[in-house]
Amino acid sequence: MKAAEIRQTFLKFFESKGHQIVASSPVVPGDDPTLLFTNAGMNQFKDVFLGFDKRAYTRATTSQKCIRAGGKHNDLDNVGYTARHHTFFEMLGNFSFGDYFKHDAISYAWELLTVHFKLPAEKLWVTVYEEDDEAYEIWNKTVGVPAERIVRIGDNKGARYMSDNFWMMGDTGPCGPCTEIFYDHGPDVAGGPPGSAEQDGDRYIEIWNNVFMQFNRTEDGVMHKLPKPSVDTGMGLERLAAVLQHVHSNYEIDTFVNLLAAAKKAVDEAGGGDCDAISPSLKVIADHIRACSFTVVDGVIPGNAGRGYVLRRIARRAIRHGYKLGARTPFFHKLVHALAAEMGDAYPELRQAEKRVTDVLKQEEERFFQTIATGMEILEGALAQGGNVDGDTAFKLHDTYGFPVDLTADVCRERGVTVDEARFHELLEEQKNRARAAGKFKMAQGLAYSGAATTFHGYEHLVCETSKVTAIYID
Ligand code: ATP
Ligand code: MG
Ligand code: MG
Ligand code: MG
C-alpha cells in the first residue's frame, strides 16, 4: 500500500466514524508565538481544546505537515541516525473536541490497524500512562491485548529515546496522559520493547500516540483542567508506511525511493562521481529537502534568527552531507523538482511554489558553497589534532564560515568526538553583548550631536535614554 493510499484510508476511516476531514495547516503556525513550527496535528485545534474557539464539528481528522527541528520536539539530531525520525513528516490524526474519550479512541485505533490495515495483533505493543488504569483496562479487557504486551510508563525524562506517556505540545498549552502503539519489526533489528532498558533501538517502533487531552499547562507550570476531556492522536504516515510496505526504515518507503535517487544523481553530477547509494548522508539530504521546501513554501527564507535560522541550519546540514559525498557545486535546490513530483498531488502548494523554492534554496546554497571548503579545512585541521573540538574553533566556523554549531557537532559525532558547545555559546553571548554595546554607543553618539538644544550629559545618561529603543539591537 502506497503512502498516498494509506493517507486516504486513514482519513476515510475516520470520516466513516463521523469525523470532518480538515486540510493540513501550514508548517508555519498562524498566530502562536509559543511555537516555531507546526509540530503536531493538534496545533491548528489548540484553541478548540482550550475552549476559546468552537467549530461546526466535534470530530475531525487530518493529515498534517509537521516539522520537528526546534523547540520542544526537536529531531534534527536524530535524522540520519534512526530509522524513524524526520525533520519533516506527515502526521495522521483524529480528534475529539469534548466528544468521545478513551474507550472510542482506543477501539477506533485498534479497528483501523488490525481490520483495515490488517496488522497482526501479536506484533503490536501498547503503553499506557502508569496511573491510567482506565486505559489499561480498555486495552486488556475490551480490546484483548494480553498483559505482557501492555507497558505502564510514567513521565520518563531519562534516556533519549525513552517513551514519555504524558504528552505536551510545548512548555505551555494542552497536554495529557497518552497511550502509544508500537510495532515490533522483529528480532533481526536490535532494540528492546517499550519501557525496557534496551529500548534505545529501532526494533519496537512507536507508530501511534493517542493523547487524552485534559489539561492546559500555563507558564507557571500549573495544570488547569480543560473545559472538556478530549482526544488528540498522531500517527507518523512514514512509520506506518514502513510497516505496511514490509520495510524497516522510513527511508525505504515509496515516497523516499525517487527522492533518494534524485539526491544521488544531483550529488554525483556536482562532483560526487558515483557516490555510495546507501550512505546515511543521502537520507539526510532526502529528509532535509522536504523540511526546507515546505518551510519556504510557507514563506520562510533563510536568515540569522528564528525560523529563518532553523531553515538555514537544516539546509546547510544537508549541503554539508552532499559535500561529504563529493559535491563541490550547488546540488540541493535541484531536488525541489523531484519532491514536487512526489508530493505535489497531496500538497499542490508545493507544485505552485516550485520555482520560488528552487530559487531561494539555490541562493542559500551558492552562498554556503563560498565558505564551506575553507571551513571544512579548518574543522579537519582541528579534528586532526585529536580530541574534542574546542568552542573557539566552533565559534570561528560559525562566525566567519557560516557553520551553524549543530553542523559542526554533526561532523564531530561522525568522528566520535564532541564539540565544546558551552564555550561556543559563551563566545556567542559575548559577541551579542559587544554588538549591543556598540548599538547603544552609536545611538548615544547620534543623539549627542543631532539635537540642537542637546547638552551632553555624558555617556551613561544617554545610554539610559536610548536603551528604550530596543529595535536597534542586532540580536
Ligand atoms: P519518538 O519517541 O519516536 O521520537 P514521539 O513520541 O516523539 O516519537 P509523538 O510526539 O508522540 O512522537 O508524535 C506522534 C507520532 O508522530 C509518533 O507516534 C510517530 O509515529 C510520529 N513521529 C513523531 N516524531 C516523528 C519524526 N521526527 N519523524 C517521523 N514521524 C514522527
Ligand atoms: Mg520524539
Ligand atoms: Mg515516543
Ligand atoms: Mg509519542
Side-chain angles (χ1 to χ4, degrees), residues 66-366:
C66 293
I67 299 228
R68 291 193 171 183
K72 182 166 174 61
H73 297 276
N74 183 358
D75 289 324
L76 185 60
D77 294 343
N78 290 329
V79 173
Y81 292 93
T82 72
R84 71 186 196 279
H85 286 107
H86 301 297
T87 51
F88 169 93
F89 65 99
E90 290 178 75
M91 193 184 283
L92 303 167
N94 56 290
F95 309 92
S96 151
F97 309 117
D99 190 323
Y100 61 88
F101 201 44
K102 296 184 187 181
H103 179 273
D104 287 1
I106 290 174
S107 308
Y108 289 154
W110 193 254
E111 181 188 340
L112 179 60
L113 292 179
T114 58
V115 179
H116 299 264
F117 288 128
K118 301 190 171 58
L119 295 186
E122 66 279 7
K123 293 225 168 209
L124 298 171
W125 285 62
V126 300
T127 63
V128 298
Y129 187 57
E130 63 186 354
E131 294 151 25
D132 195 348
D133 296 330
E134 192 187 348
Y136 187 98
E137 293 300 311
I138 298 168
W139 279 119
N140 189 227
K141 303 262 158 51
T142 314
V143 176
V145 176
E148 44 301 0
R149 291 206 306 276
I150 309 177
V151 186
R152 289 179 187 261
I153 289 177
D155 322 334
N156 202 319
K157 301 283 183 288
R160 185 182 177 87
Y161 299 127
M162 274 286 201
S163 295
D164 171 350
N165 277 42
F166 194 92
W167 196 88
M168 296 194 261
M169 174 184 144
D171 294 331
T172 62
C175 53
C178 61
T179 176
E180 298 192 319
I181 304 169
F182 286 69
Y183 182 82
D184 177 4
H185 279 266
D188 292 346
V189 187
S196 73
E198 300 78 36
Q199 199 200 327
D200 275 19
D202 266 340
R203 172 171 169 180
Y204 297 83
I205 288 191
E206 176 191 327
I207 54 171
W208 201 349
N209 191 356
N210 278 239
V211 185
F212 306 122
M213 287 292 189
Q214 288 163 80
F215 308 101
N216 174 27
R217 189 176 195 270
T218 45
E219 244 165 72
D220 48 14
V222 177
M223 302 278 198
H224 307 268
K225 266 199 160 165
L226 289 182
K228 286 177 179 168
S230 295
V231 171
D232 148 40
T233 90
M235 173 152 62
L237 171 63
E238 297 81 358
R239 294 189 190 183
L240 178 62
V243 170
L244 293 171
Q245 294 174 16
H246 310 291
V247 292
H248 172 242
S249 163
N250 283 9
Y251 292 91
E252 292 170 52
I253 67 172
D254 64 312
T255 38
F256 269 99
V257 171
N258 293 332
L259 210 49
L260 283 164
K264 176 170 161 51
K265 184 165 177 275
V267 168
D268 285 350
E269 285 171 3
D274 181 16
C275 76
D276 177 7
I278 56 160
S279 161
S281 288
L282 283 181
K283 294 179 185 146
V284 173
I285 295 165
D287 172 88
H288 288 11
I289 192 62
R290 302 191 340 150
C292 291
S293 299
F294 278 103
T295 46
V296 177
V297 165
D298 287 341
V300 183
I301 50 165
N304 287 329
R307 294 180 179 124
Y309 195 54
V310 176
L311 169 58
R312 170 162 287 165
R313 281 164 50 212
I314 305 174
R316 294 192 174 190
R317 196 168 179 268
I319 297 163
R320 202 284 298 178
H321 277 276
Y323 188 90
K324 185 184 171 198
L325 293 174
R328 291 296 175 267
T329 53
F331 65 94
F332 189 54
H333 65 281
K334 293 181 183 161
L335 304 179
V336 177
H337 182 67
L339 178 66
E342 197 61 58
M343 299 188 75
D345 285 345
Y347 300 100
E349 65 272 28
L350 189 59
R351 208 168 264 148
Q352 277 156 22
E354 186 185 324
K355 176 154 176 6
R356 182 170 60 82
V357 177
T358 307
D359 291 347
V360 168
L361 294 181
K362 188 175 178 203
Q363 202 176 40
E364 174 67 4
E365 201 173 7
E366 281 169 348

Side-chain angles (χ1 to χ4, degrees), residues 446-457 462 465:
L447 280 183
Y449 299 113
S450 65
T454 310
T455 349
F456 186 64
H457 292 296
L462 281 165
E465 277 180 8

